[in-house]
Amino acid sequence: MSDSSLLTVILNWRTPEMTLKAAEAAAREMAGIDGQIVIVDNDSGDGSFEAMTAGIAEADWAAGRVEVVQSGRNGGFGAGNNFGIRHGLVQRDFDFVYILNSDAFPDAGSITALLDHMAQMPTCGFAGSYIHGEDNEPHLTAFRFHTIGSELEGAARVGLISRALHTHIVPLPIPAETTRVDWLAGASMLMRREVLEQIGLFDETFFLYFEETDLCLRAQRAGWHTDYVRPSSVTHIGSVSTGMKTWQRMPQYWFDSRLHYFRKNHGGAYAFAATLAHVTGACLWKLRRVIGGKPKRDPDHFLRDLISHYLKSLFTRTQREPSKIPTLSVRKEASS
């Protein structure tokens, strides 16, 4: 087992009981590891902070190594995790930061497997787990970066196009062994502190979605790679806080995040081409639905909302604001 120190951050949004269960599972897997757990309540406003504080005070498993803090605002996934990371690193220079979803529960040996992998791979910046549901069905959590080709392929859902653009398909087949990937879902991700000091934390311009993609891309461009560690297994319920499984219509912040990702990382012309590719693919899918009776797969009004959002962005400053990427310099200033 690695003798590195570990800061675990769990973000809560109105799921206090489940968050405490996730923290308990993490604490169990951190037995023998030099570490601390910080639970961040992302300004739930429903009594979550008080309930979790009381729960930790009464929990034998917490044993003085779990702290509940209040972010003071709901700035989204990245901002909430950033708050917890900075809070923990102000107190101590942990070697690694582990972010865990409030609806994710590390299986036996999962955290140790991530730490051991990092110890063996000094150029690995981020490492993520094999994620499965309560029914043991694997979840898609290993991905390629988004491209113009992936926008066309993902929207069109045409076999011929998918075969031609197979190297652009974003979701990767579930890896059977540890492998290098472009990016990972943030449900269970270990991050090297050195990398965060070099590239900064999550871009808080993203409220939800694409923030992990952006972080992994920044790491890759700085010379670090991201690995999917198959021996690390985590049980994940999924979409408990976001309610994504029951969405009737894509929320505004998803479109904001998507467009910010493309514009920030590839430029305005690329973002336009990616959006045009998605619209083209979506039109092809609509044609297939009419001709072949294919089932509906997109949320209500998705194509109209995508086009409308892009056109509106051309006349507003919202998507042109600079990225909000906090650095870890505040840790050094606060501790000096």
Side-chain angles (χ1 to χ4, degrees):
M1 179 189 296
S2 170
D3 58 0
S4 301
S5 58
L6 176 66
L7 169 66
T8 294
V9 177
I10 304 174
L11 185 62
N12 175 77
W13 169 251
R14 298 184 174 180
T15 59
E17 294 84 6
M18 185 170 293
T19 299
L20 289 178
K21 290 180 181 178
E24 183 176 6
R28 181 194 66 233
E29 291 309 308
M30 289 173 64
I33 295 174
D34 178 17
Q36 183 78 14
I37 299 174
V38 174
I39 300 174
V40 180
D41 181 56
N42 219 17
D43 199 24
S44 297
D46 66 344
S48 285
F49 176 73
E50 294 77 11
M52 292 188 298
T53 300
I56 290 300
E58 299 172 358
D60 293 337
W61 53 265
R65 68 187 312 192
V66 182
E67 183 181 7
V68 181
V69 296
Q70 173 59 255
S71 69
R73 69 182 182 95
N74 181 14
F77 179 85
N81 276 293
N82 285 350
F83 185 91
I85 293 169
R86 285 178 290 179
H87 178 87
L89 292 181
V90 161
Q91 301 175 62
R92 179 180 171 189
D93 283 334
F94 290 96
D95 298 308
F96 295 96
V97 173
Y98 177 57
I99 59 171
L100 178 70
N101 270 19
S102 60
D103 57 355
F105 314 100
D107 299 335
S110 55
I111 294 178
T112 299
L114 293 176
L115 288 170
D116 287 347
H117 179 80
M118 284 290 206
Q120 297 164 12
M121 299 292 293
T123 59
C124 178
F126 303 137
S129 306
Y130 162 70
I131 307 293
H132 62 89
E134 293 179 295
D135 55 2
N136 288 321
E137 283 297 310
H139 292 185
L140 292 171
T141 55
F143 306 98
R144 294 185 179 94
F145 289 127
H146 300 267
T147 63
I148 294 172
S150 72
E151 290 292 292
L152 174 61
E153 186 281 328
R157 305 180 181 98
V158 175
L160 181 62
I161 294 176
S162 294
R163 287 190 291 274
L165 297 175
H166 67 277
T167 59
H168 292 264
I169 297 175
V170 174
L172 291 167
I174 305 295
E177 57 188 19
T178 297
T179 188
R180 188 171 300 184
V181 299
D182 283 346
W183 66 280
L184 295 158
S188 170
M189 182 187 289
L190 186 68
M191 304 185 287
R192 197 180 294 273
R193 192 200 72 226
E194 179 184 351
V195 178
L196 297 179
E197 289 182 334
Q198 180 180 354
I199 70 172
L201 301 177
F202 286 108
D203 181 350
E204 296 184 8
T205 311
F206 300 100
F207 180 79
L208 194 61
Y209 297 104
F210 289 88
E211 59 276 279
E212 307 109 309
T213 322
D214 173 76
L215 189 70
C216 290
L217 179 58
R218 282 156 46 204
Q220 185 190 84
R221 288 174 172 176
W224 301 92
H225 61 85
T226 297
D227 288 345
Y228 179 97
V229 181
R230 187 58 181 80
S232 175
S233 176
V234 171
T235 302
H236 184 221
I237 297 177
S239 304
V240 174
S241 294
T242 66
M244 184 179 183
K245 292 180 180 179
T246 60
W247 281 351
Q248 295 295 313
R249 194 167 182 173
M250 294 295 281
Q252 173 79 17
Y253 59 73
W254 186 89
F255 295 103
D256 290 343
S257 293
R258 174 193 172 275
L259 189 53
H260 177 62
Y261 173 81
F262 279 122
R263 282 181 170 168
K264 168 191 174 181
N265 291 300
H266 302 291
Y270 194 100
F272 168 75
T275 302
L276 181 61
H278 200 119
V279 170
T280 301
C283 289
L284 289 173
W285 174 249
K286 281 184 174 291
L287 182 62
R288 290 191 70 201
R289 285 193 64 200
V290 172
I291 297 175
K294 296 291 183 179
K296 175 184 174 183
R297 292 186 180 177
D298 293 320
D300 294 341
H301 312 297
F302 176 80
L303 183 56
R304 185 177 71 184
D305 288 346
L306 177 68
I307 296 172
S308 174
H309 178 272
Y310 181 80
L311 293 176
K312 287 179 181 178
S313 75
L314 298 176
F315 302 99
T316 65
R317 294 174 57 91
T318 304
Q319 295 296 327
R320 303 181 188 184
E321 292 178 355
S323 299
K324 303 170 185 176
I325 306 175
T327 68
L328 289 183
S329 60
V330 293
R331 173 183 56 78
K332 297 177 181 178
E333 293 167 1
S335 59
S336 61

